[in-house]
Amino acid sequence: MNIEVNKLNKEFHLFNEHISYVFRVLEKCNQLEHLYYGKKINHRNSFNHLIEREVRPACNMFEGDHTTSLEHIKQEYPSFGTTDYRYPAHTITQANGSKITNFQYEDYRIIPGKPKLNGLPATYVENKEEATTLEIILIDTLLKIRLILSYTIYTHRNVICRSARFINESNKSLFINNALSASVDFPDNEFEMIHLSGAWARETHIEKKKLSRGIQGIYSTRGSSSHIHNPFIALKRLDATEHTGDVFGFSLVYSGNFLAQAEVDTYDVTRVSIGINPFLFKWKLKPNETFQTPECIMVYSEEGLNGMSQTYHELYSKRLVRGIWRDKSRPILINNWEATYFDFNEEKILDIAYQAKELGVELFVLDDGWFGQRNSDNSSLGDWFADKKKLPNGINGLSKNIEELGMSFGLWFEPEMICKDTSLFTKHPDWIIATPHRNTSHGRNQFVLDFSRPEVIDYIFSSMDKIISNSKISYIKWDMNRYITEAYSINLPADQQGEFYHRYILGVYELYERLIQKYPHILFESCAGGGGRFDPGMLFYSPQVWTSDNTDAVERLKIQYGSSLIYPLNSIGSHVSSVPNHQVGRITPLETRARVSFFGTFGYELDVTKISDSEKKEIREQILFFKKYRQLFHNGDFYRLLSPFSSNEVSWMSVSKDKKQAIVGYYKILAKPNDKYYRIKLKGLNPDTLYSIKEKGTMHYGDELMNVGISLNENYTNRALEYWQKEKPGDFSSILLVLTEGKDYLPN
Ligand code: DGJ
């Protein structure tokens, strides 16, 4: 049991061996006061001494009392309008127009394990001992609404999951204008806020700024979590580093419009708020209906940012990702997109597949362009039947041919989209998202289907089902290439238009769920023009995500490094592509491209029928190498060593759980003349294990590798060499080191 309740003082203490989270019920107003979140503290029969009160000039709730001002009390799920002026966790508009609520503590219940979240993606447990859930039941007796705050603490993970649900027990409808997943008040503002920011082709760049008074935050209004911001923020203590010190992570399991922010008030209290973006949100809660918020995953780390990342990696890969692919080796794939774009036929595809199979690739993925008359990006989305001009034997015939080559077959869809030249549009022009009598904007010449409508989902399910059930498909890439504009559903009444964005994403989740239930063997890879919807919500349905359309190795260092803040390596889609790179025109060595891609799902996206024999040889070796170490890359503990955001060098490593093996990737972006000695200090090794390093032909104890570091210079034994005679690595060079316990690789 990880929850202690001090019944007399109405205090709740969630804890495990690493974390404590304490709150209480306020005596007079019966609302919840937050007392502590951080490193584990001993339980006491009373935490009264943690209460902070000061008489301040303020509005107070009760006459004759000058300290019950909610503005000066740290809270759990704050409301606006009754003495707190900061950003609230919820807002409800009632039948008479009032927005004042008063949710008072009624009861609590402790549930072994973790209940499911209805219709929403969420982390889970496999047995009840893995976690304990505390539900706090609050009631607004005037409105007859119950509010259930849910807190799940994992027994052996530094994780607390929070969500809220509103139950309308009255006979009147009301409107929820804001229902966040979590709100946490920290007693001070000595933090930096970290988040991931970007755009198409340059996703997940790490941003840091010291907190200052006022609100600093990120959000999405685009209908998906977006390339621009990831639904995540972390508060890092000012003295915390990549590997030491306190960090608090907040990651939202949601793929639609979100808000994540930190508000520092005038007394330096920091309020973190995270959940569905209240902007444009308005949910009509009818009598007897329930509204469930998405969940926020809060991670506390006393081992810096890397400690936080490792907790997210382990939780998300083992208790968010589901199904057979959670524990199965992810296939090395080849995708034809950058090899052919729309210009292919069956013969070309089979040529690529044949050659890829010969190189050792395990899965062939046919990308965009196989359906309708899709020869460019202005046609055919929605007509999900094979283009017989390109593929005379259809997807059925092609997939069988590819299986006969000894590879699995995967297929691209963009289920949420429609082009106007389709039979689907001719039949159902009203299925696109559009506001009546207004212009409808396009994105990449396409329009978005109204996924808030069940009949649209039924139709897309049945058209995908036809293709899947007739073919041998073991992988689906689900793409989504534009954001939502002119948001409106002709299916919803005027007073429910504020539900549109949330209903849209619930529709996306529903289609995923139906496909997964019918085809549990299929590996889904989610994609949204690259990483436009790389979020924990998606991971519940698709174990891997195409991280970015940018396949340049140097750009990928930043994108993959940033993604690794939250997402495990086996979810980070990464391919080796051709040079000059199609997004930036850069020419990087094939060796470096693979060494970056190894630290992700790993695959290829180039025309292998057009490469030289020496490149084929190199690729064969890369694939053999990856097959040998796939488990280590995908299931090891990941450590970031040198950041691409602050230096010319980048390094990271993966260490096996038993610490007997590790792989280090080191990348130097620009070559430098007459340079210093280079050395990196490794992490996560066993200090007393003697590791051999095949590439260097040397052996070192773990403590030496972690404290002295490992030299990255060439070991020149020929003293007669002059500087101009020695080999220069050139720009974009890389080193890969495999550390193995024992003497395997040592020369005799
Ligand atoms: C965007 C994706 O990110 C690419 O990988 C590719 O699938 C294209 N869409 C196809 O249109």
Side-chain angles (χ1 to χ4, degrees), residues 6 36 112 135 171 216 316 424 478 487 513 550 592 629 634 636 648 653 717 727:
N6 293 336
Y36 174 73
E135 288 196 341
N171 52 17
Q216 38 256 285
Y316 285 175
L424 178 61
W478 176 321
E513 192 62 40
N550 196 334
T592 295
Y629 295 108
H634 285 174
N648 186 42
M653 67 187 286
T717 43
E727 221 179 289

Side-chain angles (χ1 to χ4, degrees), residues 23 32 76-78 89-90 109 133-138 146-151 162-166 180-181:
F23 61 93
L32 299 180
E76 280 301 307
Y77 201 71
H90 67 279
R109 53 179 168 251
T133 300
L134 170 67
E135 288 196 341
I136 300 288
I137 301 143
L138 304 146
R146 282 208 160 71
L147 165 60
I148 319 288
L149 300 183
S150 168
Y151 300 79
R162 283 190 59 178
S163 69
R165 67 180 188 275
F166 294 84
L180 296 184
S181 301

Side-chain angles (χ1 to χ4, degrees), residues 337 367-368 374 412 444 477 479 481 527 529-530 546 549:
W337 179 241
D367 209 278
D368 195 353
R374 183 127 166 121
W412 180 97
R444 206 193 186 204
K477 179 175 173 187
D479 205 346
N481 280 297
C527 170
W546 181 228
D549 276 355

